[in-house]
Amino acid sequence: MFFHIVLERNMQLHPRYFGRNLRDNLVSKLMKDVEGTCSGRHGFVVAITGIENIGKGLIRDGTGFVTFPVKYQCVVFRPFKGEILEAVVTMVNKMGFFAEAGPVQIFVSNHLIPDDMEFQSGDMPNYTTSDGSVKIQKDSEVRLKIIGTRVDATEIFCIGTIKDDFLGVINDPATA
Amino acid sequence: MSLVTDSPVHSSSSDDFAAFLDAELDSKSSDSSPNEEGAKGEFDSDSSDSSTNEEAENDSDTENQRIKRSRVEKLENIEDPKRSTSNGSLEQNLGASSSKDACIHPGSFGDMCILCGQKLNEETGVTFGYIHKGLRLGNDEIMRLRNTDVKNLLCHKKLYLVLDLDHTLLNSTQLMHMTLEEEYLKSQIDSLQDVSNGSLFMLDFMHMMTKLRPFVRTFLKEASQMFEMYIYTMGDRAYALEMAKLLDPRREYFNARVISRDDGTQRNQKGLDIVLGQESAVLILDDTETAWTKHKDNLILMERYHFFASSCHQFGFNCKSLSELKSDESDSDGALASVLKVLRKIHHMFFDELVDNLDGRDVRQVLKTVRKDVLKGCKIVFSRVFPTQFQAENHHLWKMAEQLGATCSRELDPSVTHVVSQEAGTEKSRWALKNKKFLVHPRWIEAANYLWQRQPEENFCVNQPKNQ
Ligand SMILES: [Zn+2]
């Protein structure tokens, strides 16, 4: 799920960046530091969309560095337990399959793949229904439900299932 | 120094917001509660005011839990009327939590159970990092996967084959260890753009040069028809993946089945515990017997492929290397070609000759049988091969000869066919010459062992002493 939220961060800046472009320098450093990172609470920061407020700078003793509290708006992405997500399959094997939705790594174990889908090995391993009508393989797009999430500093792991109504393949690269 | 103060400050309202959503989605997923609409309204209306938000969260949380618990109780009563009363009441008391505890947590991904999604604190089971980062499987799950997989594989008339890299499928050297006589190789390297036809590669970024063993491309192609193949190397992960790219540029053979030393569960040992194949259906090709102490019966020992000088020196040979001699192993008649024949034979026997149930067959038995055919009918007497006082039956050559199907004896008699010795002057050697028996060097047995075929005895003559 995407959210537009306000976050705050203390930014430390070297005195050489002071002057007319101070604000621009602060913002570009903020983007570099924050975009593409994860936090356990908020998830993956996709983009900074605006600056709410830059507080008064505080000079650090002995260094000349100045710390500014910056409040900024940003779009974050965080999967939730129970959420339905669309993801692209990256690897299929006898244990199940792995899929990706942006920075999120999802594993769907073969326990949570419908029983009528069977694993087929070969150069293009896949799970296929007995009548061959539905096939999950690398690059397939699937709709799955998240049953567990874990957000690390740099990665987001999820456990997913497709063993429920309206879940499974939504776009098969083989027939596209 | 700058890190100390450069820390994010989270606004409390969004923290609560995330927690609220977590609770909300979680409970919604397990039951579509009637007050779903109401809860949604609450959460839409305030994300700015944290105090009311918190209240709402607590409220809806307890509310949902109450509903959930009553539902679980109901469900259990309906589903399991036969359950003993004491057990049933216990379940009821524990309510919703006990139904979650029932999961056996067969494995984990990112420290979450792959079945119920619950966070797991203990690290249990075996790490399968070579398949995907963060994946672990418990022993029961490994067993379950092996059982279903082996059935599937046998139906497709395939077995498992675990392949070592260095000295088995290829030979690598550090660029800095190359000798002057090997310098010419640098002008003969194949392009890394399309590796599918090359055999000599310079990997500058790894400071290495790699030579693929002759026949390896044909070998992999043919073997892939009969086996699901794994790479298993004592090299590190980065090296293993680079080599896999050279051997399998189109990713037809190994998929993600590339295991490196970083993945093993024991130091300096290779184990089938992280290979998802039933041991009774696995064959291993490796040049190092000691790496497989627990799986000797699965192992087909390979003659080492030393192409580069550094590789020869590493193993204590002071002769010129193949590279220095500008030579190479035979393509059509080398180690990989002969082992492919053996693999075909084993595959054929396993699927086409055995009569018992597929499940009951064991490739290790087939391997033994095929091996016993190599020197069948030979009766061997050793002369001055073992140190005096050495228990002959324990010597590796004696054992090897027996595994190859020969009979070993200490005494000479007319039924003896071969005398194995390093000298022609010994009493037994002279007896062999006089009685028109074969007199061969010990290497004759080793060659038969590597090539899986009785070798022409005249190629393994024993030097005649000069005074004769
Ligand atoms: Zn579980």
Side-chain angles (χ1 to χ4, degrees), chain A residues 8 10 12 81 110 150 155, chain B residues 2 6 9 110 133 144:
Chain A
E8 196 174 341
N10 286 326
Q12 194 165 213
K81 216 164 146 180
N110 64 6
R150 196 190 130 98
E155 287 161 313
Chain B
S2 69
D6 200 13
V9 177
K133 192 183 165 199
R144 189 187 71 87

Side-chain angles (χ1 to χ4, degrees), chain B residues 117-360:
Chain B
Q118 201 176 307
K119 287 207 169 72
L120 305 176
N121 297 321
E122 273 172 83
E123 290 207 331
T124 53
V126 183
T127 307
F128 282 82
Y130 73 91
I131 292 169
H132 199 289
K133 192 183 165 199
L135 182 68
R136 301 175 74 92
L137 295 176
N139 288 330
D140 290 347
E141 178 72 355
I142 294 174
M143 217 124 86
R144 189 187 71 87
L145 284 168
R146 279 187 180 159
N147 280 332
T148 52
D149 194 60
V150 80
K151 277 193 197 105
N152 185 358
L153 207 63
L154 293 181
C155 284
H156 289 87
K157 276 202 163 192
K158 278 189 176 184
L159 297 164
Y160 304 94
L161 182 62
V162 177
L163 296 165
D164 172 52
L165 287 179
D166 292 297
H167 304 114
T168 299
L169 298 184
L170 49 83
N171 191 203
S172 293
T173 184
Q174 295 284 325
L175 292 178
M176 57 185 269
H177 292 152
M178 289 179 72
T179 62
L180 270 178
E181 285 164 278
E182 290 180 315
E183 281 296 311
Y184 77 97
L185 290 172
K186 289 184 180 164
S187 64
Q188 296 188 353
I189 50 169
D190 294 305
S191 153
L192 283 173
Q193 300 307 61
D194 176 23
V195 301
S196 54
N197 290 312
S199 76
L200 183 67
F201 301 102
M202 176 116 87
L203 302 161
D204 282 311
F205 54 100
M206 298 186 99
H207 315 289
M208 266 178 32
M209 190 180 276
T210 295
K211 170 74 178 64
L212 303 187
R213 197 170 200 166
F215 198 70
V216 72
R217 302 234 180 252
T218 319
F219 174 85
L220 291 177
K221 192 167 165 235
E222 304 267 313
S224 71
Q225 305 294 313
M226 304 181 280
F227 298 92
E228 179 175 284
M229 299 192 291
Y230 284 75
I231 285 177
Y232 198 148
T233 173
M234 280 298 190
D236 62 25
R237 180 129 200 87
Y239 174 74
L241 291 177
E242 278 311 315
M243 295 302 112
K245 268 191 222 161
L246 297 181
L247 292 167
D248 184 16
R250 284 188 274 269
R251 291 179 63 97
E252 306 162 276
Y253 305 139
F254 300 111
N255 202 348
R257 298 183 297 269
V258 179
I259 306 173
S260 64
R261 118 184 121 203
D262 307 346
D263 306 307
T265 48
Q266 257 183 302
R267 235 180 108 79
N268 296 325
Q269 275 293 307
K270 293 182 179 179
L272 292 180
D273 50 351
I274 57 172
V275 174
L276 287 173
Q278 200 86 275
E279 285 176 24
S280 60
V282 182
L283 289 174
I284 304 164
L285 292 194
D286 202 320
D287 63 290
T288 309
E289 196 174 4
T290 50
W292 292 103
T293 44
K294 274 186 283 176
H295 307 285
K296 280 206 173 97
D297 294 341
N298 302 80
L299 177 66
I300 297 178
L301 196 62
M302 294 293 292
E303 189 176 10
R304 288 207 169 96
Y305 179 51
H306 295 293
F307 181 74
F308 295 108
S310 68
S311 171
C312 293
H313 296 158
Q314 192 194 332
F315 284 84
F317 301 115
N318 281 319
C319 51
K320 292 270 178 219
S321 69
L322 290 169
S323 60
E324 288 169 325
L325 296 168
K326 302 198 178 182
S327 159
D328 206 344
E329 233 180 58
S330 154
D331 190 76
S332 57
D333 211 16
L336 285 175
S338 36
V339 86
L340 181 63
K341 281 183 209 143
V342 178
L343 292 178
R344 274 213 196 94
K345 195 166 174 183
I346 293 171
H347 185 269
H348 175 76
M349 282 178 80
F350 189 94
F351 286 104
D352 303 328
E353 284 180 18
L354 292 184
V355 284
D356 46 343
N357 224 333
L358 261 185
D359 302 349

